[in-house]
Amino acid sequence: MREIDELINVGDPAWPLLQELSDTDVPVEVLPVDAESGRACLRQLQVTARSNLGGIVLNCGGLLVDGGWLRIFGAPGDAGPEAPPALAEVNALPPAFDPQWRPEAGLVLAHDVLGGVFALNGSDARRAGRPGEPGEVVPPRPAGDQPPCGAHGGTPGPEPRLGPPARRHRSRIPRGRMNRAPVSVAVPAPHRYRRAMLQLIAPTTDLHSPWLEAHHEWGAGLHEDGFGLEPSDEVESPEGFAAWVALLAGASGAKAAGTDRGCLYRWIVEGDRVEGGIALRHGLGNHVPEFGHIGYGIRPSSRGRGLATWALGRMLDEARALGLDRVLLVCEVDNLASVGTIERNGGVLEGVRDTGHGPARRYWIEL
């Protein structure tokens, strides 16, 4: 039985790739997640964040594909009453963690507006009357004809609900149903949902309020790695924030390259929410031998989702573009989350050294 940290802290988490795949001609709406529900669901399912299923339940409240033609279940937060139900609700997962629970019949993953239900086969799908092999996703079947899922193939959870009609929408035919003519169906209005794409962006004054929200979540006196924030920086007022962002831009610019102050700053942003910061020191000062080339920090409420692993991987690409052939990363010896992030990106331990802040691990990543 694996604990939640082992399920979350994996190399190559699926969520960033899922987000890239969603950037296609077919619109995908990402619903906000309830983080605790997502972690509880992941632990009960015993799948890792490396899997597509784990990536979805951990990072989103569900996916609305093609304006709502297809609804994939997740762990919904505050998306509203018309949002799809939670995957845990549909499949009658235990309200508290039960190590004996197994989805032997399988899991209902999604449904479409025509009544089709998409299910992942469990270990005994044949006994439940479902075709295919264990681990396969069976073709859609009408909801009323779908074999029950849930604990030990027993009582199913609530039938997936479409919610009240929000508007009439002439949609394209979903892939895999090309033999059917377009039909007019009721789907929720897309503006009710927030598309949350994960990005690394340059610091900007446009995100003053979201950045302050993240800043206040850290709390007074706590160091926010990756932001380049000094105690003397005044960031509460628009004027002070703009001056600070200008300093970061100056350190990141071409004129700073090759000096002792060269540092590339990026913010980790998901939708309109600032999740953290990451910085690549490439100047000639003495900060690199002491603190390493790259420092990063994730706001407390967003930790444990693989965001730091994703951001570090993207920043390594920036280091390659700057011509670096390897980078040094330094973390406290007992910061196991950061140890995992570095090692999943190829970090090799050089050793442990005493610093003014206590003993620290030193890792090198070859580029």
Side-chain angles (χ1 to χ4, degrees), residues 10 26 33 38 57 65 285 307 310:
V10 297
V26 178
V33 66
V57 299
V65 182
L307 300 184
W310 174 85

Side-chain angles (χ1 to χ4, degrees), residues 182-205:
V183 294
S184 182
V185 297
V187 297
H191 72 269
R192 298 188 181 195
Y193 303 107
R194 176 172 62 93
R195 185 185 180 96
M197 295 299 296
L198 197 59
Q199 303 175 78
L200 276 191
I201 69 168
T204 172
T205 56

Side-chain angles (χ1 to χ4, degrees), residues 40-355:
C41 185
L42 193 75
R43 187 183 183 212
Q44 185 64 70
L45 294 176
Q46 287 291 293
V47 297
T48 72
R50 186 183 292 111
S51 68
N52 291 336
L53 175 59
I56 289 172
V57 299
L58 184 64
N59 290 281
C60 75
L63 301 174
L64 302 183
V65 182
D66 203 5
W69 262 99
L70 177 66
R71 300 187 181 189
I72 302 173
F73 306 125
D78 57 354
E82 292 88 7
L87 184 137
E89 177 187 356
V90 171
N91 292 282
L93 268 64
F97 178 68
D98 180 0
Q100 302 303 317
W101 184 88
R102 297 290 186 277
E104 294 177 358
L107 292 168
V108 172
L109 303 178
H111 69 86
D112 62 30
V113 294
L114 301 179
V117 176
F118 297 76
L120 176 70
N121 277 343
S123 61
D124 199 6
R126 292 183 184 277
R127 183 167 64 87
R130 186 178 295 112
E133 299 299 321
E136 290 184 348
V137 177
V138 300
R141 302 175 62 178
D145 297 335
Q146 185 68 21
C149 290
H152 308 291
T155 304
E159 182 174 314
R161 61 181 185 271
L162 291 178
R167 65 184 177 101
R168 305 302 292 181
H169 173 73
R170 193 81 170 177
S171 177
R172 295 186 296 278
I173 305 175
R175 291 190 178 98
R177 293 181 176 269
M178 296 304 291
N179 60 325
R180 299 191 180 187
V183 294
S184 182
V185 297
V187 297
H191 72 269
R192 298 188 181 195
Y193 303 107
R194 176 172 62 93
R195 185 185 180 96
M197 295 299 296
L198 197 59
Q199 303 175 78
L200 276 191
I201 69 168
T204 172
T205 56
D206 293 340
L207 293 177
H208 185 200
S209 294
W211 187 90
L212 281 179
E213 179 186 314
H215 173 59
H216 294 155
E217 186 177 307
W218 254 282
L222 295 181
H223 182 64
E224 301 162 42
D225 290 315
F227 279 131
L229 184 65
E230 299 294 338
S232 59
D233 292 322
E234 193 280 298
V235 293
E236 296 289 338
S237 71
E239 297 79 12
F241 188 77
W244 175 65
V245 168
L247 286 176
L248 300 183
S252 299
K255 290 184 178 180
T259 71
D260 61 354
R261 54 189 289 267
C263 187
L264 182 67
Y265 291 99
R266 291 291 182 263
W267 291 350
I268 305 164
V269 175
E270 192 171 21
D272 57 1
R273 177 180 164 95
V274 177
E275 304 287 14
I278 187 167
L280 170 60
R281 307 176 188 96
H282 56 86
L284 304 177
N286 59 4
H287 292 298
V288 169
E290 184 177 0
F291 301 110
H293 286 94
I294 299 178
Y296 50 83
I298 303 296
R299 64 190 295 175
S301 64
S302 295
R303 292 169 187 167
R305 294 177 49 205
L307 300 184
T309 299
W310 174 85
L312 177 55
R314 297 305 183 276
M315 198 55 110
L316 293 177
D317 292 337
E318 299 279 4
R320 294 185 186 96
L322 288 171
L324 300 179
D325 55 8
R326 65 173 187 162
V327 292
L328 173 68
L329 287 100
V330 179
C331 69
E332 296 177 350
V333 291
D334 57 353
N335 187 348
L336 299 184
S338 193
V339 167
T341 293
I342 296 169
E343 292 182 347
R344 282 189 293 274
N345 276 283
V348 177
L349 182 65
E350 176 194 76
V352 176
R353 291 188 187 178
D354 288 327
T355 70

